[in-house]
Each structure stands twice: as structure tokens, then as C-alpha cells.
Amino acid sequence: MPPCATSAGGSDSPVRGDERSRTRLQRRLRGPDATWKDDRLIRACLNGDERAWSALIQKYKNLIFSIPVKYGAGREDAADIFQSVCMEMFTELPRLRDPEAFRSWLITVTAHQAFHWKRRTRRRGEEALSSEEDTLAIDPSPDLIEQVEQEQVLREAVARLSPRCQELIKLLFYTQPQMPYRDVAKAFGVATGSIGFIRGRCLARLLKTLEQTGF
């Protein structure tokens, strides 16, 4: 048996089941969070729940930041674009007819903001945009939309994992430079040999969540 296998628990473990029940109860008690579906969050936003606005922005902040970065924006410019998108979201959300289309709408709005930033930057540098680049103001490329949507699906799937798995995935895959297993094990307070097993369990749960979304 791998080290710490018993502490990880199986899917039918009463302790693990109790933990899931407590997590669901805690989420209901604290109100809206980033794991809520868009239509539910949007309804809460339109009903004046400020926590829902915070949760909606928390859910999509990385998506919004990622788009200007793909257009070549630095951190400060990306932050300015983020603020502009949030203001547009606040203004236009009541006019959104189909909550199911919110993510696509948000990607388009952010891409337009990023494009306009790029065009202003080019004009200051007296460098004209090509005709192909200029069309992005009207129609973000399908490749960009697909890439950003897939990244968002992955973020949401990770957010549905347990806090332990979320932290492990963050340390193993989102930290640059990549952390060695011994450092991750130290952060978790477990033996180095346990990390491979815990990682496998967490990735299996992530894969199952992604499959449920049709990823």
C-alpha cells in the first residue's frame, strides 16, 4: 500500500462523504461562490447580491487577465483592461438575454478591449496594424476563443476539487519554476513518497470532473 493511502480515503469512505457534505453545507451558508453556475450567479447579481458580483469576478478574473496577455499586454496594461471589462460587465449584464452565452460574451468583450489597447499602442509607436489584425476588433479568432474557453473549463474543474487537491495541483503545475516533490511534501507535511500517490488521486478526480463537463 502506498504511503498515506489510508489518509487519502476512497470514494465510498464515510469520512470522505462527511467532508463533502460539510463542504456543500459551508458553501450554502456562505452564499454565492465561484463554483456556482453562470445563470445562478447572474440572477443573484441582478437581485443586488454584492457577494455574487465578487464571486462572478473571482470566477472569471484569470480568463479576463489571460486575453490581454495573449495580445501582448504587460501586467499594468492587463490590469487596466481588467478594470474596463469589469465596468462593462456591471453596465451590460442586465441587458444580457441569455446567461448561457455569458462566457462567450465576456471573451468577446475582453478581446475587443485588448484589441483597442493594442491599436492605441501601435498608433503611439506609429506602427500600423495589418488588415488581418484589424478584423480582430469585430471578430476574435476562433482559435483564441477555443483556447480561452478550454483554459476556463480547466480552472473551473480544478475549483471543484478539494482544497487539498487544489493546492497540490497549484504547487505541481502552476508554480514556476516547478517545485520538486520534496518541497511539495514539506509544504503538505507528508513523506516525499506520498506525493506521487496523492497527485494520482487528485488528477483522477480532475479527469472525472472534466469528463462530466464534456471537455
Side-chain angles (χ1 to χ4, degrees), residues 30-38 40-62 64 82 86 89-90 93 102 106 152:
R30 69 171 177 255
D33 65 31
T35 64
W36 281 23
K37 291 186 177 180
D38 289 349
R40 189 180 178 192
L41 273 176
I42 290 170
R43 283 198 305 270
C45 288
L46 298 180
N47 286 332
D49 191 331
E50 293 185 4
R51 296 173 303 171
W53 281 105
S54 297
L56 189 63
I57 292 173
Q58 176 68 24
K59 181 176 182 177
Y60 283 108
K61 66 178 183 179
N62 288 330
I64 297 171
F82 175 83
C86 288
M89 186 194 310
F90 181 80
L93 195 62
F102 173 75
L106 183 61
Q152 183 62 23

Side-chain angles (χ1 to χ4, degrees), residues 9-81:
S11 59
D12 57 346
S13 166
V15 174
R16 182 63 62 187
D18 289 345
E19 289 178 356
R20 287 197 295 266
S21 297
R22 283 197 297 270
T23 299
R24 287 193 293 267
L25 177 60
Q26 289 168 355
R27 286 173 176 172
R28 285 197 297 269
L29 290 175
R30 69 171 177 255
D33 65 31
T35 64
W36 281 23
K37 291 186 177 180
D38 289 349
D39 58 346
R40 189 180 178 192
L41 273 176
I42 290 170
R43 283 198 305 270
C45 288
L46 298 180
N47 286 332
D49 191 331
E50 293 185 4
R51 296 173 303 171
W53 281 105
S54 297
L56 189 63
I57 292 173
Q58 176 68 24
K59 181 176 182 177
Y60 283 108
K61 66 178 183 179
N62 288 330
L63 178 149
I64 297 171
F65 265 105
S66 72
I67 294 175
V69 170
K70 295 180 192 303
Y71 276 79
R75 186 173 184 83
E76 290 186 6
D77 288 323
D80 289 341
I81 293 169

Side-chain angles (χ1 to χ4, degrees), residues 171-182:
L171 293 177
L172 288 177
F173 301 106
Y174 290 94
T175 303
Q176 295 296 332
Q178 186 176 12
M179 289 183 68
Y181 272 23
R182 65 177 180 275

Side-chain angles (χ1 to χ4, degrees), residues 1 10 52 59 61 92-93 100 122 154 162 171:
M1 178 179 292
K59 181 176 182 177
K61 66 178 183 179
E92 298 297 328
L93 195 62
E100 297 286 336
R122 289 288 186 88
L154 180 58
S162 67
L171 293 177

Side-chain angles (χ1 to χ4, degrees), residues 1-10 13 15-16 197 201:
M1 178 179 292
C4 292
T6 54
S7 64
S13 166
V15 174
R16 182 63 62 187
F197 174 72
R201 293 294 296 270

Side-chain angles (χ1 to χ4, degrees), residues 85-132:
V85 171
C86 288
M87 289 299 299
E88 188 163 352
M89 186 194 310
F90 181 80
T91 302
E92 298 297 328
L93 195 62
R95 301 184 180 92
L96 187 66
R97 295 181 178 179
D98 182 10
E100 297 286 336
F102 173 75
R103 182 184 296 170
S104 298
W105 174 84
L106 183 61
I107 291 172
T108 300
V109 167
T110 309
H112 289 176
Q113 291 277 0
F115 172 82
H116 291 315
W117 163 84
K118 185 173 184 178
R119 183 161 57 185
R120 290 193 301 271
T121 303
R122 289 288 186 88
R123 282 175 177 171
R124 286 198 295 268
E126 297 182 353
E127 182 181 353
L129 292 171
S130 68
S131 59
E132 180 180 353

